[in-house]
Amino acid sequence: MSAGGNSDARGRRIATRGRPRPPAAPVEASAQDDVGVEARVVAGLLLNAALERRNGLDEALSQPPARALAPVDRAFARAVAMAALRRLGEIDQILDRRLNKAPPEAVRTLLRVALAQTLVLETPAFAAVSTAVKLAERDPKTRPYKNLVNAVLRGIGRDGPGLTTAESNLPDWLAARWKAAYGEAALAGIALAARQEPPTDLSLKPGVDPAAVAEGVDGEVLPGGSVRTGRRGDIAAWPGFETGDWWVQDAAAAVPARLLDLKAGETALDMCAAPGGKTLQLAAAGASVVALDRSAARLKRLEQNLDRTGLTAEIVAVPAEDWDDPRAFDAVLLDAPCTATGTLRRNPEVLRATRPAEVAKLADVQHRLLDVAAARVKPGGRLVYCTCSLEREEGETQVIAFLRRNPAFRTVPADPAAVGAPAEALTPEGWLRILPSMWAERGALDGFFAARLERTALG
Ligand SMILES: C[S@@+](CC[C@H](N)C(=O)[O-])C[C@H]1O[C@@H](n2cnc3c(N)ncnc32)[C@H](O)[C@@H]1O
């Protein structure tokens, strides 16, 4: 029996007592009945929605037929789709070795869903294969391929998947960019981080004891004070959630707000604030915070988290460039809209959704927003610019161009140790370029770029 769980007679994962270890999948849908088949249909729909469009997976999850599934089956369908997305290159490599010619897309989807279960989630092979064959039977488009599905999956089960490389999961154009920007070793590390389901990181309210939170969730305290746990499942049931002791935020995402080094009583503007992890940090530092975002819907999450944690911020739903308010601030944070390629561990769909043309389009938006942010900084005040992108056009290139057109600003070099960032993230210019290949021994972290700038007292 494994330390973290076992399977019952129907192939469902069941919990065992003792120190909880994250199961390979949060849950297994039932294998022998129509519910198990339906969950796998939805897994295929979610996978294809993610491959088709940005945010496709989340949108599809909130609509029928995913919404009609029981929570346990919906969680299973999501876990399968996420596993397939993380390992898509490897799964296709394995399939292509077995297929003489490309099958219809609906058949490939069935096979991808089945392999995500057997190779990643450790679903018993009999359950994954029998449901895949049942699925093939149900649809007239896939019915003629029923025997092929059976033969391919049984063949892989019998002979093993063969060798695959983590880098095959990365689109060629992104891998080429990252190799050119960060080198071969970093690219290999990014690929390894991208194929793992990441742990969950918690940022704590001031006064909350990190060691006690870590003990409550079987986690560890990271440099910088975030708590990291491999626990899965409903976070609302974890100790400290209801009492508002913490909020979920990747350890790298917690770095930029710390760079502002806010003091109690200072004023701060979070200019692209939603859903609000960084606003909570600014409020927790005792600052008087304005949280601004163009999306009222995304700001709802911030409102809920402020209520839960008892922290306060003034929320304004408006595009930053249209904000008709004369105030300037001691500290301004611009966490700009970006391709989000740095979040590939948590959102593997960004690998498929990001298009080369988007990088340039978003770089224009960032350029514009940086100038709007600069105009809100008091003389002598600080501006932190950050993005969760691995693309230099959305990080270094932006700051270089900004400093050229704004001589009143200069870089104040970051101290990685003081803000909980890996030491190797520090660039020669004093900015932070955090890569998902860093802290590999601790479970990695999201990719982020962050620069701390200061307006001269006279500027
Ligand atoms: C990277 S997200 C911010 C994440 C947030 N800082 C956090 O830590 O949770 C970027 C945000 O920018 C917002 N946004 C995009 N264009 C904007 C604009 N012109 N003015 C204000 N907000 C904008 C988006 O709605 C989105 O919520």
Side-chain angles (χ1 to χ4, degrees), residues 335-346:
D335 183 16
C338 68
T339 53
T341 47
T343 68
L344 78 180
R345 294 150 69 237
R346 299 189 189 283

Side-chain angles (χ1 to χ4, degrees), residues 64-90:
R67 226 179 47 198
L69 288 178
V72 69
D73 288 308
R74 198 164 56 238
F76 173 74
R78 182 176 185 279
V80 173
M82 292 292 274
L85 280 169
R86 285 200 180 95
R87 306 285 280 264
L88 199 66
E90 288 175 273

